[in-house]
Amino acid sequence: TAAPATATTKPGAMGAITVICLVQTCTQVVDNGVSLGPSPIVGRPVAAGRHTLQLTAGTVKKSTVVTVKPEETAEVRYPMTP
């Protein structure tokens, strides 16, 4: 007999993240201290959970937090205006 499914996040659960910088392209996207490279980033596999994104476009630097759910893609569209 199979065990019943639970609603809790299993360790190692994965999701994905999409980052779109608006107005100007981000030259650097950093996720929890790890460089993901320039935007756009589309469907990048990441661990489920809380992610702090640091976005850089020229002299403009922004930070935002996103929660990635297991087996889902979190999408961030962020305006990079001074």
Side-chain angles (χ1 to χ4, degrees):
T1 305
T6 62
T8 59
T9 301
K10 294 180 182 179
M14 297 294 289
I17 194 165
T18 291
V19 180
I20 309 290
C21 294
L22 304 173
V23 182
Q24 57 182 323
T25 300
C26 287
T27 53
Q28 181 72 359
V29 177
V30 176
D31 173 20
N32 291 342
V34 177
S35 175
L36 302 181
S39 68
I41 294 167
V42 180
R44 169 86 179 240
V46 294
R50 186 173 188 257
H51 293 259
T52 299
L53 300 176
Q54 291 161 350
L55 312 172
T56 304
T59 59
V60 179
K61 295 184 180 188
K62 306 273 180 148
S63 181
T64 189
V65 175
V66 63
T67 299
V68 177
K69 296 180 182 178
E71 299 181 26
E72 292 186 17
T73 298
E75 185 171 303
V76 175
R77 291 178 179 267
Y78 209 88
M80 296 303 291
T81 53

